[in-house]
Each structure stands twice: as C-alpha cells, then as structure tokens.
Amino acid sequence: MAHCAARMAKLRIQYENGDPERVIEFDPSKAPFGHDGEAGSFLDVILGHGLHLEHACGGNCACTTCHVIVKQGFADLSPAEENEEDLLDRAPGLTSTSRLGCQAVMQKDGEYVIVIPRFTINQS
Ligand code: FES
C-alpha cells in the first residue's frame, strides 16, 4: 500500500518563565518559513508560525538572545560552528545542550523539545 510521503516534525516549546507550552508541527522540507536565521532553524520555524523568539541580531549569529536549551532532539541538529560556540560561552544560563536558535537546524523528522530560558541579555 502506498503511503503519503509528507514529512512531519514536531517542535515543542517550553518556557522557563511559566508561559504555557506551545507545539508546532511542520514539514521540514518546506523551510524556510520566514526570513530570519538558518532555514529550518528553531528561530525560522518559530517565527514562521507566528510565535516569538528573541533575535536581536536578526538571526545572524552575532548575539545570544535566541539561546534555547534543547531537551530532545539535540543529536539531530546541525552541528554548532565555532562562532556559535564562542557566543554561547557568553549566554546566561548556558547548559551542555544549549544552542543558538537561529543556527540550530532541525535536520530530521521527529520531535524536538526546547526550553526558552528566563533570562536573555540583549547585547546589541
Ligand atoms: S538571533 Fe542573534 S545569534 Fe541568533
């Protein structure tokens, strides 16, 4: 039997400040969804679905305001480049699964879970 080949990924967004969780279902092959950040990145998917994520530098890997903590799907993200690692070192509340939302691209179908930290510092 033929199956519909539509791809589908799910992004679950949790907020450290207690805001209600949001869930976005999207087809990764349709990226980009907006025009900020890497195509298919957390920032791209979030903004493209009408939700908010800080992005003081416009998604150009030059601040840390788009910092997210990845709870699920970390291994399926595009690898961080040196520039991103350097910036993350300055992000408040850095964890071992922290990424910049504008740089980390969800490369596979499946479910991703991220936490938006309570504190971000606007460096721009
Ligand atoms: S928006 Fe500035 S580094 Fe992601």
Side-chain angles (χ1 to χ4, degrees):
M1 205 192 332
H3 284 277
C4 174
R7 295 180 56 195
M8 204 42 81
K10 191 186 272 190
L11 173 59
R12 195 176 290 277
I13 308 157
Q14 299 170 344
Y15 297 88
E16 219 173 62
N17 70 2
D19 283 358
E21 176 180 281
R22 308 298 291 264
V23 179
I24 298 171
E25 294 198 49
F26 63 100
D27 177 350
S29 68
K30 297 262 184 347
F33 298 94
H35 41 76
D36 289 314
E38 297 293 317
S41 66
F42 292 125
L43 181 69
D44 178 39
V45 171
I46 289 171
L47 294 184
H49 290 79
L51 299 181
H52 178 71
L53 180 66
E54 296 293 335
H55 55 292
C57 75
N60 291 309
C61 199
C63 70
T64 59
T65 58
C66 64
H67 172 210
V68 302
I69 298 164
V70 184
K71 295 279 185 195
Q72 187 177 320
F74 188 77
D76 293 334
L77 297 170
S78 58
E81 301 198 355
E82 206 177 318
N83 195 11
E84 180 183 344
E85 302 277 10
D86 289 349
L87 282 167
L88 275 173
D89 281 343
R90 293 189 246 143
L94 181 71
T95 74
S96 59
T97 59
S98 287
R99 292 293 307 265
L100 291 179
C102 67
Q103 300 299 306
V105 174
M106 293 172 274
Q107 294 183 311
K108 298 202 177 142
D109 300 349
E111 185 164 333
Y112 297 81
V113 182
I114 59 171
V115 176
I116 311 294
R118 191 187 304 250
F119 302 109
T120 55
I121 292 179
N122 190 330
Q123 297 178 329
S124 67

